[in-house]
Amino acid sequence: MDIPLSLWFGGYDRSRILGPVSSQPYTRFDFLMDLLDIGIGVDNGASPFEFSERQGILRQGSASMGDSTQVILDPQSPYLYLPQSTCDAIASYLPVTYQSKYKLYFWDTKDPKYQPIITSPSYLSFTFRASNMEQNNITVKVPFQLLNLTLQMPIIDTPTQYFPCQPVGAKDSPSYTLGRAFLQAAFLGVHWDEDRGLFYLAQAPGPNTARTPQQQEFNTTLSSSTNTWSDTWAGHWTPISETRSTINSTNGTATATASGAAATTSSAAKEGLSTGAKAGIGLGCAAVLALVAGVGLYLSRSRSRARTTSEASSQRPAVVKENERQGMKGPDIPPLVQAADPEPVEIQDKEPLHELPTEVR
């Protein structure tokens, strides 16, 4: 992470403190704090979880736990030593599996949620009761990026990513401890004094920390820098775009969401037409359909008439066609009836026969 180490005697570096500072007396060289709650959140961007924030994790799964749990802040211990129910509750939101042999939770690095969780601005928060009068409580946020640690030899043969929460039984409750896994994101200062010794707890900054120390002398209260926690981490994590849906184990959700967005946009565009516009479009379509139907009917009738005339013309005898060719039209042409039988029929002898004159005048 390229965060330089910082250890001061006789004072403190003001640039290493963000936000409010809790001060309380130490007891027998133990730094005891009342832990009120543990939560999960996201500093900015979309959440890699199915929620943007979750509180109440400290007592989740344990009805017997009180309003607070006393913990020790210990730089010599490596892990988060918390109740079994609390470790299991945190793990239920992460792609991790408990390994009883090592008493630790191993990250499933192939799970689709793994990368978004450890690279986004998501964090595990610890809320304490502050002893001083300036602040009722204080919260220290630990990015999941800092809780993606590597277990190595001689503990395990193959380097393995693990989440550093080690369950502690109820009989060991006095030894609930927040070790270096927590303190890498916290400021811890001690004013050694036999009569009125104090220790201080605050949020520590991220990698974007001033390289020039801002040295201050210890007092009953400490002052913090003007930087914001988010700014000190900018460029070292990757916020998830707000347009993306919650990360799931399958890719179907994102596809469905995108399709749904397109459908919503199309629907919104349709709903944007006014009633008058819709009526005008309807009338226009009706007029076009009526015009097309009229033209079709006219063409159909024209073809029918032409076909009828052609058939009648083909059935008229040749003499009529010849008369028409010679200029006889209309009423000058006597009506003709075609015989049903073209064979000649002998005239009956009911009437006397008359010879026609040789010349007709």
Side-chain angles (χ1 to χ4, degrees):
M1 297 297 296
D2 194 28
I3 302 177
L5 300 176
S6 178
L7 178 62
W8 288 77
F9 291 94
Y12 68 96
D13 182 0
R14 181 170 172 262
S15 67
R16 296 287 179 146
I17 301 177
L18 301 177
V21 183
S22 174
S23 63
Q24 44 279 315
Y26 59 83
T27 304
R28 294 181 294 108
F29 302 104
D30 288 335
F31 308 131
L32 298 175
M33 294 286 291
D34 287 337
L35 180 62
L36 302 178
D37 197 11
I38 293 176
I40 293 176
V42 182
D43 182 73
N44 63 85
S47 174
F49 305 99
E50 296 179 356
F51 52 82
S52 58
E53 185 178 14
R54 181 62 53 90
Q55 299 295 330
I57 298 178
L58 175 62
R59 289 177 292 278
Q60 184 175 322
S62 177
S64 60
M65 190 176 297
D67 293 338
S68 64
T69 298
Q70 194 172 66
V71 296
I72 300 172
L73 306 182
D74 183 12
Q76 298 181 68
S77 301
Y79 307 136
L80 310 173
Y81 301 88
L82 295 170
Q84 176 80 57
S85 59
T86 301
C87 284
D88 288 344
I90 299 172
S92 68
Y93 302 109
L94 305 175
V96 296
T97 303
Y98 182 67
Q99 303 293 327
S100 57
K101 179 180 178 180
Y102 304 97
K103 296 183 178 180
L104 292 170
Y105 297 82
F106 286 6
W107 286 99
D108 181 359
T109 58
K110 296 181 180 179
D111 192 291
K113 295 181 181 179
Y114 171 69
Q115 284 295 333
I117 289 175
I118 67 167
T119 60
S120 68
S122 57
Y123 57 81
L124 195 65
S125 63
F126 297 80
T127 301
F128 303 90
R129 178 182 292 115
S131 297
N132 59 343
M133 300 300 295
E134 295 181 5
Q135 188 77 13
N136 291 329
N137 53 56
I138 183 174
T139 299
V140 175
K141 301 174 181 177
V142 184
F144 279 105
Q145 188 173 160
L146 298 181
L147 298 175
N148 177 41
L149 303 178
T150 305
L151 205 61
Q152 297 176 323
M153 291 282 290
I155 299 176
I156 196 170
D157 294 336
T158 304
T160 304
Q161 303 306 116
Y162 73 97
F163 175 70
C165 193
Q166 189 167 100
V168 177
K171 63 181 180 179
D172 302 319
S173 58
S175 62
Y176 292 153
T177 303
L178 299 181
R180 294 190 299 273
F182 165 79
L183 291 172
Q184 61 183 328
F187 169 87
L188 179 63
V190 183
H191 183 195
W192 300 106
D193 190 294
E194 284 189 24
D195 299 326
R196 51 187 182 87
L198 298 172
F199 77 94
Y200 306 87
L201 179 67
Q203 176 73 60
N208 297 332
T209 305
R211 293 299 189 261
T212 303
Q214 301 175 15
Q215 185 175 358
Q216 304 286 325
E217 291 185 0
F218 269 120
N219 205 329
T220 54
T221 60
L222 305 185
S223 59
S224 60
S225 69
T226 58
N227 297 327
T228 65
W229 186 66
S230 182
D231 288 342
T232 63
W233 276 96
H236 293 271
W237 55 28
T238 305
I240 301 174
S241 173
E242 293 286 358
T243 58
R244 286 181 56 187
S245 61
T246 303
I247 305 298
N248 290 316
S249 296
T250 62
N251 295 327
T253 301
T255 303
T257 302
S259 300
T264 302
T265 303
S266 176
S267 176
K270 291 179 181 177
E271 291 176 1
L273 294 174
S274 65
T275 302
K278 292 178 180 179
I281 292 173
L283 291 174
C285 291
V288 171
L289 290 174
L291 178 60
V292 171
V295 172
L297 181 60
Y298 172 77
L299 293 175
S300 176
R301 289 183 175 179
S302 297
R303 292 193 189 99
S304 178
R305 285 197 299 268
R307 186 165 52 251
T308 302
T309 303
S310 175
E311 291 175 355
S313 176
S314 64
Q315 294 175 359
R316 299 168 88 175
V319 64
V320 175
K321 295 183 179 179
E322 178 63 22
N323 290 338
E324 289 180 349
R325 188 179 64 80
Q326 294 177 3
M328 298 176 65
K329 299 181 180 178
D332 297 332
I333 304 174
L336 298 175
V337 178
Q338 185 175 0
D341 189 353
E343 297 295 329
V345 180
E346 185 178 356
I347 300 176
Q348 303 296 324
D349 57 351
K350 293 180 182 180
E351 299 284 340
L353 297 176
H354 300 280
E355 185 179 1
L356 291 174
T358 59
E359 185 176 349
V360 180
R361 291 193 170 102

